Amino acid sequence: MLVVEDDPAIGSELVEALASNGYQAVLATTGGEALERVRDGVPDLVLLDLGLPDIDGVTVCRRLRTTLPFTVIVVLTARSQEFEVVVALDAGADDYLTKPFRLTELLARLRAHLRRQTSPQEERSLSVGLLRLDLPARRAYVAGEELALRPKEFDLLAALASHAGEVVTREQLMDDVWDANWFGPTKTLDVHVFALRRKLTEHGEDPQRITTLRGRGYRYEIDV
Ligand code: CA
């Protein structure tokens, strides 16, 4: 995730708040720096302040959209710049928030966007290692053989595999797979991961494919 905000206090506060909610974010304080950053790696989401000192936010948005067709762009705007929102949406932004906004609202928007954010092709099928997921049909195959999965097991596998190579936190998994309002013990998550691992290995997948990060979450490995 990339945060583009020229006010260093707001910027670092945002990055910290995102980090404590399980999102890895880097900060760029100018439009130029933002455009520079995305040359090194494609962020899944960009939070873009429209009032930037060097290049105007709408131009940054348009340039980002050209190089990053599948990245979610959420623009942040001051009340006095509200007219720019329409222009930014035309320039390819997906959503906007008017400052000051509540962190809970920002997080809710991000969650919704990240859930939806996949290219049309990725939306249909997903392949990692020997695994292939047919998402619309909710079917999972390992080396061409279909796995018999319970609904929650399929959701969990999809949540992990769609973030292959990244840590998915326990909180994120509980939110995405079980209920946004879950509370209490999360042992059910470990039980489901255990079952998934067994079913995957039975069909020839590597037992190291799902890595446990004790107390933090799980990672579906791209290479094992
Ligand atoms: Ca600003």
Side-chain angles (χ1 to χ4, degrees), residues 5-7 49 51-52 99:
E5 169 61 69
D6 61 314
D7 183 323
D49 178 31
L52 293 170
K99 294 180 191 172

Side-chain angles (χ1 to χ4, degrees), residues 51-182:
L52 293 170
D54 55 340
I55 314 170
D56 81 276
V58 173
T59 304
V60 175
C61 180
R62 189 173 296 116
R63 292 198 196 155
L64 287 174
R65 178 51 78 221
T66 312
T67 48
L68 309 171
F70 300 123
T71 294
V72 176
I73 302 175
V74 178
V75 297
L76 306 177
T77 174
R79 210 160 279 286
S80 59
Q81 308 162 321
E82 260 176 340
F83 67 95
E84 279 189 325
V85 163
V86 182
V87 189
L89 292 172
D90 280 342
D94 297 283
D95 198 0
Y96 72 97
L97 278 167
T98 305
K99 294 180 191 172
F101 50 82
R102 288 183 310 158
L103 184 64
T104 47
E105 183 180 4
L106 171 68
L107 292 172
R109 299 269 191 101
L110 297 189
R111 269 200 302 274
H113 280 295
L114 291 173
R115 217 171 273 154
R116 278 196 293 269
Q117 172 246 18
T118 33
S119 69
Q121 268 174 343
E122 284 167 339
E123 247 165 48
R124 299 196 57 77
S125 108
L126 182 71
S127 295
V128 191
L130 298 179
L131 174 72
R132 187 173 69 79
L133 292 179
D134 181 343
L135 296 170
R138 297 181 56 83
R139 301 175 91 164
Y141 304 85
V142 169
E145 279 180 69
E146 188 169 4
L147 301 183
L149 298 179
R150 293 166 195 277
K152 290 293 183 206
E153 290 172 350
F154 180 88
D155 292 341
L156 178 61
L157 183 56
L160 289 170
S162 63
H163 293 95
E166 298 167 25
V167 178
V168 188
T169 64
R170 300 179 66 83
E171 292 75 19
Q172 186 83 52
L173 291 168
M174 291 309 293
D175 260 10
D176 287 356
V177 178
W178 277 270
D179 193 299
N181 302 310
W182 64 273

